[in-house]
Amino acid sequence: MSLHYDGRAIIIQDEKEESLCEDGVFIEIKKLGGNCRRIRSKIGIEASLDTVWDILTDYEKLADLIPGLAVSKVVEKNDKFARLFQIGQQNLPLGLKFNAKGVLDCYEKDVEILPHGKKREIQFKMVEGDFTQFEGTWLLEQFSKTKNEDNHQVIGGEESSHTTLSYLVDVKPKLWLPIRLVEGRLCKEIKTNLSCIRDEAKRVITAFTSL
């Protein structure tokens, strides 16, 4: 059995499924047992992998882009590693607010070249905070497009780029907060986060092309 968020509600489904929300974000929740959930999500962005990567790894600026992220501070930064202190805020039913604090270790992986593009990922894990488990991956996959002599788009060129941004997280809150209380809100926040990153990529490209 899996749980699926369709943009309005959590739907219990017998088989694993993926569905397109209205703003182009895929989200799926899978029950792993007990109080633990695996959330998979992805969004398509008309930008290069490098553009999206620069947005994601500008860690302190993320708090300005993402409404549910109140604080994002770099505690330690080395080559391909960053330790972050973050505070996320989510609204719960009955007017309650849930503030989740955590220290996350982020590991930036090298670019992998694909036959028709490239991919890169950030692996993260909460090492201290309000969750028993919070770890996962940001995955960026770029497939380049260009036009051939017949004016048809083909993959592999540099004229324009499409990047798929995927986010996977295994999350288990501490016992005092049942996951069923926040899983719908978590999906809503993730959908907002991906949309904000897409919007920022559009802004960056527009600013660059207007120069």
Side-chain angles (χ1 to χ4, degrees):
M1 182 185 72
S2 66
L3 301 178
H4 173 70
Y5 178 71
D6 72 346
R8 298 177 299 277
I10 297 295
I11 301 172
I12 298 177
Q13 299 179 336
D14 293 330
E15 297 181 356
K16 188 173 180 179
E17 237 177 66
E18 201 171 63
S19 178
L20 181 65
C21 295
E22 291 182 1
D23 58 356
V25 182
F26 287 91
I27 297 186
E28 180 189 70
I29 308 176
K30 184 176 181 181
K31 185 176 181 180
L32 299 181
N35 210 31
C36 188
R37 299 289 186 271
R38 172 167 293 165
I39 303 176
R40 298 176 184 270
S41 56
K42 64 182 179 180
I43 190 171
I45 301 175
E46 294 300 323
S48 69
L49 182 150
D50 293 338
T51 296
V52 181
W53 179 268
D54 288 345
I55 294 169
L56 278 178
T57 55
D58 192 353
Y59 297 113
E60 295 199 342
K61 189 179 178 182
L62 289 177
D64 297 329
L65 302 178
I66 297 173
L69 187 60
V71 175
S72 183
K73 293 184 67 69
V74 176
V75 178
E76 180 182 346
K77 184 74 170 73
N78 297 315
D79 184 39
K80 300 176 184 176
F81 170 80
R83 173 164 286 183
L84 312 177
F85 172 70
Q86 294 186 332
I87 301 177
Q89 186 178 83
Q90 294 157 356
N91 295 320
L92 298 178
L94 305 177
L96 301 176
K97 286 187 180 293
F98 172 60
N99 294 316
K101 300 178 182 179
V103 177
L104 281 80
D105 284 352
C106 301
Y107 300 90
E108 303 170 1
K109 302 301 181 179
D110 291 331
V111 175
E112 293 184 41
I113 302 301
L114 305 173
H116 302 296
K118 56 186 176 179
K119 70 176 182 178
R120 197 171 185 183
E121 65 181 40
I122 302 170
Q123 296 175 355
F124 60 87
K125 182 175 183 178
M126 182 177 287
V127 295
E128 178 183 336
D130 293 334
F131 287 88
T132 301
Q133 180 182 12
F134 192 93
E135 59 183 297
T137 303
W138 286 99
L139 173 63
L140 296 79
E141 298 173 286
Q142 174 185 311
F143 296 92
S144 299
K145 299 178 295 183
T146 189
K147 293 183 180 179
N148 60 17
E149 294 179 355
D150 296 325
N151 206 36
H152 294 134
Q153 285 191 332
V154 294
I155 294 176
E158 296 296 335
E159 181 174 299
S160 62
S161 298
H162 176 88
T163 298
T164 297
L165 175 62
S166 302
Y167 177 79
L168 181 146
V169 63
D170 291 345
V171 57
K172 183 178 182 180
K174 293 184 176 179
L175 291 177
W176 61 270
L177 185 66
I179 187 67
R180 64 180 179 272
L181 183 63
V182 298
E183 61 189 10
R185 287 293 175 176
L186 281 173
C187 282
K188 183 177 180 181
E189 293 298 328
I190 290 170
K191 183 165 73 74
T192 299
N193 296 352
L194 293 176
S195 297
C196 287
I197 293 168
R198 179 184 58 191
D199 292 345
E200 177 64 9
K202 289 180 179 178
R203 188 198 66 78
V204 170
I205 291 172
T206 300
F208 178 78
T209 56
S210 65
L211 294 178

